Amino acid sequence: MELKTLIGRAKRGLREELRLYLVAITSLSVAFLCVAGALLALTNLSALAERWGQSARMTVYLRDGAQAADVAQLRVVLESLPEVREVEELSSEDARALFLQHAEVSADLAALPPEVFPPSLELSLASGIAPARVDAMAARVAQLRAVEDVETYRGWFDRLDSLLSAGRGLAGVLALLVGLCVLAVIGNTIRLAVARRRDEIEVLKLCGATDAFVRGPFVVEGTFQGFAAAVLAVLVLLVGFMTLRSELDASLAALTGIRAAFLQPWMLIALVLGGALIGAAGSALSLRRYLTV
Amino acid sequence: MARDGKVVRPFAFFRAGAQSDSRANRPILAFEDVYKYFRKDQPTLRGVNLVIERGEFCFVTGPSGAGKSTLLQLVYRKHTVDAGRILFAGRDVARLTSGSIPFLRRNLGIVFQDFKVVKHWTVFENVAVALEILDMPPRLVRARVAEALERVGLAGRGDDRTESLSGGEQQRVAIARAIVTEPALILADEPTGNLDPHLAIDILTLFEEIHATGTTVLFATHDHSLIGQRDHRIIALDDGRVLEARTGLRSWPGAADTRPADVRPSVADARPHEGSGLRVVAGSSRSGSSRTG
Ligand SMILES: Nc1ncnc2c1ncn2[C@@H]1O[C@H](COP(=O)(O)OP(=O)(O)OP(=O)(O)O)[C@@H](O)[C@H]1O
Ligand SMILES: [Mg+2]
């Protein structure tokens, strides 16, 4: 088929059904915006998880009244472990000061005595250590004499991890739903366009047009709708992101230590191509049902 | 057939193949004992036998409901025969697969009573569509459309919206679309039915001019005044059967009052029996040779 002719016919179709298609594109872009928004949230959440996972820490709480010699020996043992990068000693006073500095607490809490905060050794672990190894090490350290308890913060990571995988699953379901919705909307729009161009289709067939020739422009038009809706959604999201970015950075960076990031290029391409593909599929399916040639 | 050979028909699908030489000598259209039933008990066509030679101009006439439109529709495969064969350039039209029907239609020019032009397209677009279907490059399309518009007397009107044209002009657009591909056979189903008498004569004259370039024309009409003015072969249908008359209205099937009583049996005579499929060949080849010889 002459590509120029095909594009020309599709352009004419787009012009003729402009209002119908604009309505479809706008409503579809809202659907795409949901997916793009979910992707954005996921992107930043996984950046957070990665950041936290890298800065692996462990806190070794010391027994009440542990001897300074025992603590010093414990420190030597810990520093000799290959997993440990750095050991920092935190007295009750230090811990209290740190807590009061970070948490905006009321005067009641500020009145807490230092004894409430047990002394501890704060360990920075070497990066890239498997969680199982951290667990094993924690178990060994807990056996040592001056040690009251060991906190690996694994619970937090696990929680974040499960949050993340739940988010991924949710986004997947959302993407599927949006995909189906887009498929249906574009299919319906094309069906309307077919009905409105009955006379044209009849003429084409009487002149000896093949099925592919009759259907070609409709598929192009459906593809364009999916593509345009996805692009519109990405643009809206980008504008929203840009305007909120400074505020996001201010609060998020302070809270979590990462800067807000936009969707990665491959995600943008996947969104736009996916939109176009779903548009093509929607119109092709609709033509199979409603354009008996 | 010498005149026929002068016409350039680059898309003559049926001309292809090793037997093209023998095909050229065959009648362009032959009906062999054709039956068509829309209702089980009452056939619309009952045993039609006809031969149309290349380069003939034939009126197809008969009262309303006689089956004129049906006869033409069987040729371009809007419907399929229930018994018998229709040979177009030697090929059995009924046996074409649905995928090759477009290629049959590309060798036909079809004109209707209700024009079947796309009203919101320009005149140019309405004519060009027949060539775009053939994947002709746009530059060539422009040249050929301009030529066709000139032939039907619409030179320079290409940019007009078709709905702004008068009925007669719209029919000329439809005729330009039918001839722009230079088909071997033109089927016109009451092309003058919606037009004033003087316009009808104009359109008939246009078809005769097209015929003069070597195109075979089947012109269905029940307009006595048109048929009476010309000396073309007449294929008269009545009640699904063929009654042939060479010229004039003497044996007009619907005009019982003007018809001599002795004509009526000849209707029965024209009804073919088994195995005598080509009874009317003698009559048709006579008119065919008188036209092309
Ligand atoms: N698609 C169809 N379905 C059922 N019956 C049909 C169909 N097409 C034609 N017929 C019947 O076949 C008969 C012949 O119809 P046809 O249209 O061929 O007549 P015609 O000679 O063209 O008449 P007119 O001069 O009014 O156009 C009519 O009785 C009509 O009811
Ligand atoms: Mg009719």
Side-chain angles (χ1 to χ4, degrees):
Chain A
M1 198 184 299
E2 275 280 328
L3 195 65
K4 226 168 148 184
T5 309
L6 173 67
I7 301 294
R9 289 169 62 220
K11 264 172 144 171
R12 182 166 64 198
L14 283 170
R15 226 176 17 245
E16 282 166 8
E17 313 291 350
L18 192 63
R19 283 196 27 200
L20 178 68
Y21 288 168
L22 277 184
V23 169
I25 289 171
T26 337
S27 44
L28 289 180
S29 67
V30 174
F32 277 117
L33 194 59
C34 292
V35 174
L39 278 179
L40 187 64
L42 270 182
T43 305
N44 285 290
L45 209 58
S46 28
L48 186 66
E50 200 170 326
R51 161 101 194 201
W52 284 8
Q54 270 173 4
S55 58
R57 301 188 73 83
M58 192 185 281
T59 301
V60 178
Y61 292 106
L62 301 175
R63 229 179 257 284
D64 275 345
Q67 299 299 311
D70 285 345
V71 173
Q73 195 191 350
L74 176 62
R75 197 173 166 155
V76 170
V77 170
L78 288 176
E79 273 168 351
S80 71
L81 289 173
E83 292 95 339
V84 176
R85 214 173 48 198
E86 200 189 326
V87 179
E88 195 189 342
E89 203 172 337
L90 213 66
S91 68
S92 296
E93 274 301 334
D94 294 339
R96 179 173 176 273
L98 207 65
F99 174 76
L100 291 180
Q101 176 196 334
H102 271 261
E104 292 169 5
V105 287
S106 60
D108 298 348
L109 277 174
L112 286 170
E115 293 83 60
V116 176
F117 303 92
S120 62
L121 293 179
E122 296 293 323
L123 311 188
S124 293
L125 302 183
S127 57
I129 297 177
R133 226 174 118 193
V134 176
D135 281 350
M137 188 191 121
R140 266 185 293 130
V141 171
Q143 305 295 318
L144 298 175
R145 199 141 46 92
V147 176
E148 165 85 44
D149 194 11
V150 178
E151 171 65 85
T152 58
Y153 304 102
R154 275 289 305 284
W156 289 100
F157 292 138
D158 286 351
R159 236 169 285 170
L160 191 63
D161 252 8
S162 58
L163 191 70
L164 210 58
S165 52
R168 286 203 185 100
L170 220 63
V173 171
L174 189 68
L176 195 75
L177 281 180
V178 164
L180 287 178
C181 147
V182 171
L183 205 69
V185 169
I186 289 186
N188 240 329
T189 312
I190 293 297
R191 175 185 163 191
L192 264 177
V194 167
R196 284 158 69 145
R197 279 191 254 164
R198 279 261 167 251
D199 53 342
E200 180 184 326
I201 293 168
E202 189 188 4
V203 164
L204 288 175
K205 296 221 227 117
L206 286 172
C207 291
T210 56
D211 291 6
F213 187 91
V214 176
R215 289 176 169 163
F218 290 107
V219 174
V220 173
E221 287 160 38
T223 309
F224 175 78
Q225 284 173 63
F227 172 83
V231 168
L232 190 63
V234 165
L235 286 181
V236 168
L237 192 68
L238 185 65
V239 168
F241 180 78
M242 289 304 211
T243 46
L244 291 181
R245 179 172 206 166
S246 49
E247 286 174 45
L248 270 178
D249 270 352
S251 53
L252 209 66
L255 205 66
T256 63
I258 61 161
R259 288 171 60 83
F262 196 60
L263 297 178
Q264 282 155 24
W266 71 265
M267 283 178 172
L268 297 177
I269 293 172
L271 258 175
V272 170
L273 282 189
L277 214 67
I278 297 173
S283 48
L285 286 177
S286 172
L287 289 171
R288 264 175 65 133
R289 278 187 65 182
Y290 300 108
L291 189 66
T292 44
V293 277
Chain B
M1 311 300 136
R3 196 186 302 161
D4 197 65
K6 275 185 217 148
V7 181
V8 184
R9 299 191 209 289
F11 308 105
F13 168 73
F14 284 86
R15 214 178 42 181
Q19 305 144 288
S20 59
D21 281 348
S22 64
R23 280 223 171 103
N25 296 323
R26 288 185 191 177
I28 190 158
L29 195 61
F31 292 74
E32 297 181 356
D33 221 16
V34 168
Y35 282 78
K36 181 67 196 172
Y37 294 84
F38 286 112
R39 283 187 307 180
K40 263 204 157 55
D41 49 327
Q42 212 184 9
T44 296
L45 295 179
R46 39 188 101 190
V48 170
N49 284 278
L50 269 178
V51 171
I52 318 282
E53 297 292 344
R54 280 174 191 272
E56 271 196 279
F57 190 116
C58 300
F59 284 124
V60 179
T61 185
S64 185
K68 304 182 291 293
S69 299
T70 305
L71 190 78
L72 300 187
Q73 285 161 0
L74 289 175
V75 177
Y76 65 84
R77 270 296 293 273
K78 180 176 179 183
H79 303 302
T80 312
V81 294
D82 292 315
R85 297 201 300 170
I86 296 178
L87 302 176
F88 175 58
R91 291 222 190 162
D92 189 350
V93 163
R95 293 179 58 171
L96 292 175
T97 61
S98 61
S100 44
I101 290 173
F103 299 95
L104 164 73
R105 292 183 181 169
R106 289 176 192 191
N107 286 272
L108 302 171
I110 315 173
V111 182
F112 299 90
Q113 178 171 1
D114 57 355
F115 316 148
K116 292 206 195 299
V117 290
V118 183
K119 295 252 194 290
H120 60 270
W121 284 2
T122 63
V123 169
F124 175 87
E125 287 173 321
N126 265 299
V127 181
V129 69
L131 297 177
E132 285 167 356
I133 285 169
L134 304 175
D135 282 348
M136 201 180 267
R139 194 174 44 80
L140 208 56
V141 169
R142 279 194 294 276
R144 300 259 313 244
V145 170
E147 190 187 321
L149 286 178
E150 197 176 328
R151 279 178 75 185
V152 300
L154 290 175
R157 303 290 298 274
D159 291 334
D160 293 7
R161 260 170 90 90
T162 308
E163 63 194 341
S164 70
L165 269 56
S166 74
E169 287 168 335
Q170 288 188 25
Q171 189 62 296
R172 284 169 187 274
V173 173
I175 294 169
R177 183 182 67 206
I179 62 170
V180 75
T181 55
E182 310 220 322
L185 175 63
I186 292 207
L187 304 173
D189 192 357
E190 310 215 22
T192 60
N194 281 2
L195 303 176
D196 294 344
H198 70 277
L199 276 178
I201 291 287
D202 285 353
I203 294 291
L204 173 62
T205 309
L206 181 55
F207 275 106
E208 285 169 340
E209 285 165 13
I210 293 161
H211 168 240
T213 66
T215 310
T216 312
V217 178
L218 269 187
F219 190 110
T221 180
H222 54 215
D223 187 343
H224 300 214
S225 58
L226 274 186
I227 299 169
Q229 290 195 17
R230 296 296 202 271
D231 186 32
H232 297 302
R233 178 184 176 197
I234 298 173
I235 297 162
L237 289 180
D238 192 10
D239 201 18
R241 297 191 185 88
V242 174
L243 161 69
E244 273 240 332
R246 175 68 188 85
T247 53
L249 296 173
R250 210 173 46 80
S251 45
W252 181 257
D257 47 336
T258 61
R259 185 166 47 163
D262 61 332
V263 174
R264 205 167 265 286
S266 76
V267 179
D269 282 348
R271 184 183 183 175
H273 350 91
E274 280 314 327
S276 61
L278 298 176
R279 264 177 74 92
V280 290
V281 167
S284 61
S285 63
R286 185 164 49 89
S287 67
S289 57
S290 72
R291 179 125 312 274
T292 56

